[in-house]
Amino acid sequence: MTTYGELLDQAIDALDAATVAIGAAPPSGLDDQVHIAVARAQLYRNLHQQVVLVGAAPISLLANELAHATARTGNLADGIVLTAPSSPVAVAVARAAAVAEAATAILASHLAPPAPTILALPPAPAAAALREAGHGRPAALRRIGDVVTAATRLDHRLGVWLAQHTIVAAAISDADRTTTSRLPQAAARTARAKQPSPLDTLQANTALEVPHRQRSIDDFGSAFAALDTARGWLLDHRDHHTAIDLTTLSGVGLSLSHQVSFALRLAGHPLPKDAVAHLTHLWRRAGRLLGQLRDVRNIDTSPEIKTLLQVERWLRGLTRHEHGWRLPEDLVRTDADADTWHSLAIQLAARLPDLATLLDYGSNAAISRNALAQLWWPGPREVHGVWVNHPLWQRATITRGPGKNLVETTRLLRVPSEWPAIATSTRPSPGLQEVLDRQPPGRQGQRPTYRNTFEAGRRAEAITSDVRNLRRRVRAATSATHDVPVAAAPSTAIAEHATDIARADSPRLNEPDLAP
């Protein structure tokens, strides 16, 4: 499937071909001249839409000059019935307008809000990072500016080449205005961005007819497209992840880490064993801790989470069979095979840091909004005259138990997840990190706030300290008099009071006690 960046390159090539053809071809007939004028208007209108979608202000120099580039031809171009172009210039300009329109459609499928009646796929992570944080906007504008520069080069020669038809005369006027306006300077300003545009790899974000779908994955391209779609959904719903979502994400991250390591070994660039062991250990530990947590409410699993598993199964089938890893000599027979595995490792390494960031943020956000539950041992207590020591379900917190260990583990996972990308000299794919970098600190910052759960934990810890002091006083009184029995009831009452206070902010899920 053609990407957005490839379409921009095709538009530039077509415009350059038209510029060259003007000097070699004789003036065209009226039909071709009209076709050129209409195609030119369509080209500039699509470039203007792309600039607005990328996020440049409508009053910015580039957007303003692009709007004026079709000041007269814009309205006249609508409704004209065109015949097939025949001259090289008309064919090239029509080709540039067509691919620019296709590029606008791809960009709009990721950056424009979908219609309420259409179930759309989530935007690609690169598009979401640009939309929410502006990441990559200068580079994206530079790519559009390259097309604008090629269009203005054509306009320099177009005015004297076209005849005096009504629409053609308007195109001549607009073309002449372009050569004296600030549009070339506006396009030149975009060239300051030296980084590659993160939008170049976008493909059409097709609207969905059925909410629950099964993707067809039969090659690397479709696998990575499905993986990016799942990443986009996780980014779009980053404040609503469930325990099932996070557990699946940790399992996929662990599997992809093994896949990267194995692919690099096949390509002849193995990662250090201790680095692989540390990275996989953190993914595995996060999965175990998530296995100890439960969702407070029953929530259906998203189809995009199932897509993650589908991608993982397909990639795993390339390198493993039911008895273990496939033999390297069966997978690498030529240098081309080694290059293929190295390319696979690069693609996976670029996406691994974003998966770790999604897991870290999602875990913190789920605990912050009291959406996860963990088992808690409140200690011995009397129930209907019987002393029991059963665990209870309690809202997970960052102050103790699996919740605390989970946020520590996911935080530690962020740096090792970048090691494969560093080893392959790969720039990590834009995603959640770029969005978080642009958010102000605090409640919307990188680390979610835990005011409710943290305060509940502090209050419980304060009462626990009172329990310890009371027990010391009871032991001191007992040792001094030798005839006063140890009174367990006061300390038990205080312990139960501490439990009730902690549960005021973190309610118990199951009313009856659970067996250990």
Side-chain angles (χ1 to χ4, degrees), residues 202 265 512:
L202 293 185
R265 188 149 55 91

Side-chain angles (χ1 to χ4, degrees), residues 113-124:
T117 57
I118 295 178
L119 179 62
L121 287 169

Side-chain angles (χ1 to χ4, degrees), residues 391-404:
L392 303 173
W393 281 110
Q394 186 193 40
R395 308 271 179 167
T397 70
I398 64 165
T399 58
R400 62 171 177 263
K404 175 183 178 182

Side-chain angles (χ1 to χ4, degrees), residues 11 14-15 18 30-48 69-70 73-74 76-85 87-101 147 151 154-155 158 162 167-168 171 174:
L15 290 169
L30 185 59
D31 287 342
D32 276 351
Q33 295 171 19
V34 174
H35 210 298
I36 291 171
V38 173
R40 178 191 176 278
Q42 294 171 346
L43 170 69
Y44 274 107
R45 280 192 294 188
N46 277 287
L47 293 175
H48 177 263
T70 57
T73 51
L76 294 173
D78 297 330
I80 294 181
V81 179
L82 299 175
T83 59
S87 70
V89 179
V91 171
V93 178
R95 170 66 178 164
V99 296
E101 184 176 3
V147 185
L154 175 62
D155 277 352
L158 196 58
L162 292 175
I167 178 67
V168 178
D174 285 341

Side-chain angles (χ1 to χ4, degrees), residues 241-276:
H241 293 168
T242 66
I244 296 176
D245 297 341
L246 297 171
T247 303
T248 303
L249 182 57
S250 65
V252 171
L254 172 62
S255 178
L256 295 188
S257 298
H258 282 300
Q259 297 286 343
V260 170
S261 174
F262 188 70
L264 286 175
R265 188 149 55 91
L266 293 175
H269 307 285
L271 289 172
K273 290 184 178 180
D274 55 345
V276 177

Side-chain angles (χ1 to χ4, degrees), residues 488-509:
S491 61
T492 302
I494 293 180
E496 292 176 351
H497 183 52
T499 302
D500 292 337
I501 289 181
R503 291 175 192 161
D505 290 330
S506 301
R508 184 174 52 182
L509 298 184

Side-chain angles (χ1 to χ4, degrees), residues 416-433:
S417 68
E418 297 182 2
W419 289 347
I422 295 173
T424 56
S425 300
T426 304
R427 181 183 297 274
S429 296
L432 178 59
Q433 184 58 52

Side-chain angles (χ1 to χ4, degrees), residues 73-421:
T73 51
N75 294 329
L76 294 173
D78 297 330
I80 294 181
V81 179
L82 299 175
T83 59
S86 58
S87 70
V89 179
V91 171
V93 178
R95 170 66 178 164
V99 296
E101 184 176 3
T104 303
I106 290 179
L107 208 58
S109 69
H110 290 272
L111 297 178
T117 57
I118 295 178
L119 179 62
L121 287 169
L130 183 142
R131 182 189 62 192
E132 298 192 30
H135 175 76
R137 180 174 292 130
L141 289 175
R142 175 185 60 79
R143 294 287 283 126
I144 301 174
D146 292 341
V147 185
V148 175
T149 300
T152 56
R153 283 198 300 264
L154 175 62
D155 277 352
H156 274 287
R157 309 182 68 175
L158 196 58
V160 297
W161 193 79
L162 292 175
Q164 298 297 315
H165 184 272
T166 304
I167 178 67
V168 178
I172 293 173
S173 174
D174 285 341
D176 289 341
R177 184 190 181 283
T178 299
T179 61
T180 58
S181 70
R182 295 187 296 170
L183 182 56
Q185 292 86 344
R189 288 185 182 181
T190 64
R192 297 174 182 173
K194 303 302 181 183
Q195 299 295 337
S197 172
L199 305 184
D200 280 353
T201 58
L202 293 185
Q203 297 179 350
N205 202 20
T206 310
L208 307 175
E209 297 180 358
V210 182
H212 299 281
R213 61 208 171 274
Q214 189 75 7
R215 283 183 171 270
S216 175
I217 298 178
D218 49 15
D219 56 20
F220 287 140
S222 58
F224 293 132
L227 181 58
D228 288 341
T229 298
R231 287 172 51 221
W233 184 90
L234 289 167
L235 192 157
D236 225 23
H237 298 76
R238 58 185 178 273
D239 292 319
H240 305 284
H241 293 168
T242 66
I244 296 176
D245 297 341
L246 297 171
T247 303
T248 303
L249 182 57
S250 65
V252 171
L254 172 62
S255 178
L256 295 188
S257 298
H258 282 300
Q259 297 286 343
V260 170
S261 174
F262 188 70
L264 286 175
R265 188 149 55 91
L266 293 175
H269 307 285
L271 289 172
K273 290 184 178 180
D274 55 345
V276 177
H278 184 61
L279 174 60
T280 55
H281 164 72
L282 290 175
W283 281 112
R284 191 177 292 109
R285 175 174 168 80
R288 285 199 300 264
L289 292 169
L290 284 164
Q292 301 175 33
L293 302 175
R294 296 292 183 271
D295 289 313
V296 174
R297 298 177 180 86
N298 293 326
I299 302 176
D300 293 336
T301 304
S302 164
E304 302 306 337
I305 293 300
K306 298 177 182 177
T307 299
L308 270 181
L309 293 173
Q310 188 181 357
V311 173
E312 188 275 331
R313 281 194 297 266
W314 187 84
L315 291 173
R316 178 159 33 99
L318 299 178
T319 56
R320 303 189 69 172
H321 48 67
E322 58 182 0
H323 301 298
W325 294 96
R326 300 183 188 275
L327 296 177
E329 53 268 23
D330 294 337
L331 299 174
V332 180
R333 294 187 174 91
T334 65
D335 292 340
D337 292 337
D339 293 340
T340 299
W341 289 112
H342 190 252
S343 175
L344 170 64
I346 288 175
Q347 294 291 338
L348 292 178
R351 291 161 172 80
L352 203 57
D354 188 45
L355 296 179
T357 304
L358 288 165
L359 181 64
D360 181 35
Y361 185 95
S363 301
N364 282 278
I367 295 176
S368 176
R369 67 177 189 274
N370 292 329
L372 302 180
Q374 64 186 17
L375 283 177
W376 177 56
W377 294 80
R381 61 194 185 283
E382 187 176 4
V383 178
H384 303 301
V386 178
W387 285 90
V388 297
N389 188 18
H390 292 168
L392 303 173
W393 281 110
Q394 186 193 40
R395 308 271 179 167
T397 70
I398 64 165
T399 58
R400 62 171 177 263
K404 175 183 178 182
N405 296 332
L406 177 62
V407 297
E408 292 176 351
T409 301
T410 56
R411 184 177 66 250
L412 293 175
L413 178 61
R414 297 279 293 278
V415 173
S417 68
E418 297 182 2
W419 289 347

